[in-house]
Amino acid sequence: MRVLGIETSCDETAAAIVTENGEVISDVVHSQVSVHAPYGGVVPELASRDHMRNIRPVVYTALEKAGLQLSDIDGIAVTARPGLSGALLVGVQMAQGLAWALDKPLVGVDHLVGHLLAVFLKHPGLPPLEPQPAFPFVAMLASGGHTAIYSVQGPNIEQIQELGATRDDAAGEAYDKIAKLLGLGYPGGPIIDKLAKEGDPDAIELSKPMASKSSLEFSFSGLKTNVARWVEVNGRPGDDATLRNLCAAFQRRVVDTLVSKTLRAARTNGIARVVLGGGVAANSELRRRSVERGAKLGIEVVVPPFRSCTDNAAMIAYAGAQRLLAGHDDRGRLTISPHTSLPRVTKKGKGARLHPRTPRASVKAS
Ligand code: KG4
Ligand code: ZN
């Protein structure tokens, strides 16, 4: 089966053609980074407009690179949630138009499910992953919009369970905000990662970003405030050793909490395999330390290649192929949503909601 995947949920316009076994035939990503860089973050209206400009050329480039015609495609998969509404609509309208014109099945894909299954993608020219991915696994998904730990028993939404997520900022968002504060540019992750390599993580004392030591939830806003205070007191560092030490200290705190909570989740759930996903999984320290600490605990850590971690349409095509194989067809009833369809146990800003609250008895005035 050859599935055309389309992704426009945030700031990448992407299209790919992938088989149901995860073989990537073509994979095209048009990044909008330069459009949003002057603002230090994604501007939703600019994102929608840029997707409109690029969606058609990106889809046709994916077909051309695969050496295929539209008529060779067996089905279409498109990101329908979560994401920016205007941005999602561009991809969904394109996918719907193609599905009707070609009379081919169409499935909507949850972007987060795409990230969680991206580890199964096989890119031509890249060696097979070692250790090999297989179900079940615990996934750490850390990107600019999401940071959560999941138990993944299989490819279907009902087999994926959130174990804990961030109460406030996503890890990538924290990187981007700190980079903006330090005047480093956008996106902040790769810049801070590079500077941190040359710094001493113990030279500057910063708070540990723990929502609570025993829970699997995250909170990065305290650490962000901590860095902001440090800058208020000490001034913004120039391009010197202090800047590198500050980046190293920030990165050490973020990576420590991501690694220790993910490995704890694997241990407490009796799952000896961990998979990293999302843009922050490109972080060099996160990749290295999770493998090292996993090995000490007898937990295999599967680290996908960079291009599978950041936003792409190949993961959407692969996740969609699994839905198409199960006989789904969303033609005529595909709607978009800014929210994921994966049940949340952590609510932003409010902490855990593992057990629904008992409604208070209403008191009648007498
Ligand atoms: O998954 P992604 O490409 O897009 C979504 O947010 O869905 O992730 C982008 C995020 C940005 O916040 C970026 O700063 C972060 O991933 N990122 C990194 C690194 N490379 C990208 N964060 C830390 N270290 C990196 N090397
Ligand atoms: Zn993403």
Side-chain angles (χ1 to χ4, degrees), residues 213-216 259-269:
K213 276 196 173 142
S214 58
S215 92
L216 296 176
V259 173
S260 59
K261 291 198 181 216
T262 308
L263 293 176
R264 179 142 36 86
R267 279 217 317 269
T268 52
N269 285 274

Side-chain angles (χ1 to χ4, degrees), residues 138-215:
V138 160
M140 151 52 52
L141 176 52
S143 71
H146 310 275
T147 294
I149 302 174
Y150 296 92
S151 150
V152 186
Q153 303 287 332
N156 305 319
I157 261 186
E158 312 78 60
Q159 295 171 295
I160 303 174
Q161 196 197 345
E162 184 194 289
L163 302 173
T166 181
R167 293 181 182 185
D168 40 60
D169 292 351
E173 190 180 356
Y175 267 96
D176 296 338
K177 287 178 176 169
I178 294 302
K180 192 173 178 183
L181 178 82
L182 297 174
L184 296 176
Y186 173 85
I191 305 170
I192 293 183
D193 191 6
K194 193 158 169 272
L195 290 166
K197 279 187 194 145
E198 296 156 17
D200 173 3
D202 300 315
I204 293 172
E205 190 63 42
L206 295 176
S207 64
K208 284 194 179 137
M210 293 274 186
S212 136
K213 276 196 173 142
S214 58
S215 92

Side-chain angles (χ1 to χ4, degrees), residues 111 115 143 146 311 315:
H111 180 85
H115 271 304
S143 71
H146 310 275
D311 279 355
M315 67 185 194

Side-chain angles (χ1 to χ4, degrees), residues 47-63:
S48 317
R49 289 186 210 171
D50 206 60
H51 285 310
M52 298 251 291
R53 268 190 293 275
N54 291 300
I55 186 68
R56 196 180 175 282
V58 164
V59 166
Y60 281 88
T61 307
L63 285 163

